[in-house]
Amino acid sequence: MSPFVIAPPPQPSAPVAGGGLFPVRRIFCVGQNYAEHAREMGGDPQRNPPFFFTKPADSLVTSGADAPYPSLTKNLHHEIELVVALASGGVNMAPENARALIFGYAAGIDLTRRDLQAEAKKAGRPWDMAKGFDGSAPLGLIRPAGACGEVGKGRIALSVNGSPRQQGDLADMIWSVSEIIAILSTHVALAPGDLIFSGTPAGVGPVEAGDFLNGEIEGVGEVTTRIV
Ligand code: MN
């Protein structure tokens, strides 16, 4: 007999290229990790330590499913990002040991209620409801690291209804994947099933209901969703 007093919620997961499901524990996100995007957000692209926020694991939208236009916003923005999936964890990792934790990579979209984020920034309040709403994390297939290209350089881009919106190169990340894992592991204990959204290049902008988003990352794969 189950010890749970209600039925346990489902285990969030994401499909893997080639088959199987990656079970998701936590979703971490890095803010302003490309200089041009930091500038477009009014930030300073200096190499200040990266900052982190989170999304709930069950905010994922996978397999090209539709993403609902969320409540309480009039300015929903797309942010295409390289997502890292961890097969193992650790604390206080050295950057040179960080790659060994990685199961694979995916293209993801950090959907953002930009108006609520701006209000939160202004008031010194948390970003949770600007970043962690239901359906806020569309994710493409997770490709095992061995099947990916040399992740660390390569085109990262997003189009809306076929029109280019964001374009950058992974080589322009201020903090590399290894550095992000190492620094994040000083904040929290990383564990198998963790996903890390590693920041977005310049060109973020609004989407409307009906828009079709197509993101792609060279050597990793793509992510698609329709806002409904
Ligand atoms: Mn982001």
Side-chain angles (χ1 to χ4, degrees), residues 1 16 23 62-63 71 84 135 160 171 211 218 220:
M1 189 178 152
V16 173
T62 58
S63 302
S71 62
V84 184
V160 177
D211 284 347
E218 190 180 341
V220 171

Side-chain angles (χ1 to χ4, degrees), residues 1-202:
M1 189 178 152
S2 168
F4 297 111
V5 297
I6 61 169
Q11 166 66 54
S13 65
V16 173
L21 291 175
F22 181 87
V24 177
R25 189 187 78 118
R26 295 182 182 171
I27 303 176
F28 299 98
C29 307
V30 183
Q32 299 185 3
N33 197 28
Y34 291 76
E36 267 186 66
H37 173 63
R39 282 189 210 102
E40 78 179 347
M41 295 305 296
D44 181 349
Q46 280 185 353
R47 221 172 118 95
N48 292 319
F51 65 92
F52 300 95
F53 58 91
T54 62
K55 291 176 185 268
D58 65 358
S59 66
L60 286 173
V61 176
T62 58
S63 302
D66 294 342
Y69 195 98
S71 62
L72 302 175
T73 183
K74 292 187 168 66
N75 197 16
L76 180 67
H77 272 208
H78 55 76
E79 298 188 357
I80 178 72
E81 311 205 358
L82 172 69
V83 179
V84 184
L86 299 188
S88 51
V91 293
N92 299 323
M93 302 291 300
E96 54 268 31
N97 298 329
R99 292 240 168 204
L101 305 187
I102 298 172
F103 171 81
Y105 301 90
I109 303 173
D110 168 14
L111 288 175
T112 302
R113 286 164 163 155
R114 193 70 75 201
D115 43 1
L116 297 199
Q117 185 195 30
E119 285 169 25
K121 281 183 179 179
K122 200 172 162 190
R125 288 184 180 148
W127 288 10
D128 299 48
M129 294 301 120
K131 289 289 196 179
F133 52 89
D134 298 336
S136 59
L139 188 76
L141 288 175
I142 297 176
R143 188 170 302 279
C148 292
E150 185 197 333
V151 179
K153 60 180 186 182
R155 185 172 180 269
I156 175 170
L158 180 134
S159 66
V160 177
N161 303 324
S163 300
R165 288 279 193 91
Q166 289 187 265
Q167 188 163 315
D169 195 291
L170 297 178
D172 295 331
M173 290 170 72
I174 297 171
W175 296 93
S176 71
V177 166
S178 293
E179 290 170 327
I180 289 166
I181 290 171
I183 295 166
L184 182 55
S185 78
T186 68
H187 289 256
V188 291
L190 296 172
D194 288 347
L195 297 179
I196 305 170
F197 280 62
S198 60
T200 197

